Amino acid sequence: MVQPLLIFGDWGILVLRIVLGIILVAHGWSKIRNLKDTGGAFVVTSLVEFVGGLFIVFGFLTQTAAVLVAIQFLVILLIKTKRGQKLVPSFEFELLIFAAALALVALGGGLYALDEYLGIWVY
């Protein structure tokens, strides 16, 4: 490990949070906009993506939101694997979202998060 680069660890978490959160908000917003077209079970997934994405961007209850996102994308991956889908672009995208959510579960929101500012600790 390159010791001088460790000082940028919290910046890396911030970038991860912002990018993952923006992707989730955009993904969930398209479903929330058309709730009539969205099926019953997908209302919950769209809320997890949209609200969870906002929470992740701002670093509010980061680990809790990331756990919900990770569970959701694990289910998506398991369903796609059961259908026999291999590494196609959408599968890879969902795998990356799952991995990023797991990273935030392990790392937390970092120094530049509302969790840190408000003193919220979720274990």
Side-chain angles (χ1 to χ4, degrees), residues 53-123:
L54 286 175
F55 278 24
I56 287 172
V57 165
F58 293 110
F60 181 68
L61 299 175
T62 308
Q63 289 174 310
T64 305
V67 163
L68 293 174
V69 169
I71 290 170
Q72 176 181 331
F73 278 86
L74 177 63
V75 170
I76 292 169
L77 289 169
L78 290 174
I79 289 171
K80 286 191 173 191
T81 304
K82 200 172 200 180
R83 291 184 186 162
Q85 233 180 351
K86 299 298 180 211
L87 284 178
V88 296
S90 68
F91 187 87
E92 292 172 350
F93 173 75
E94 284 140 1
L95 188 60
L96 280 171
I97 297 291
F98 174 68
L102 281 183
L104 286 178
V105 170
L107 297 171
L111 185 63
Y112 308 110
L114 281 176
D115 290 341
E116 183 74 24
Y117 180 74
L118 298 173
I120 298 173
W121 297 101
V122 181
Y123 294 108

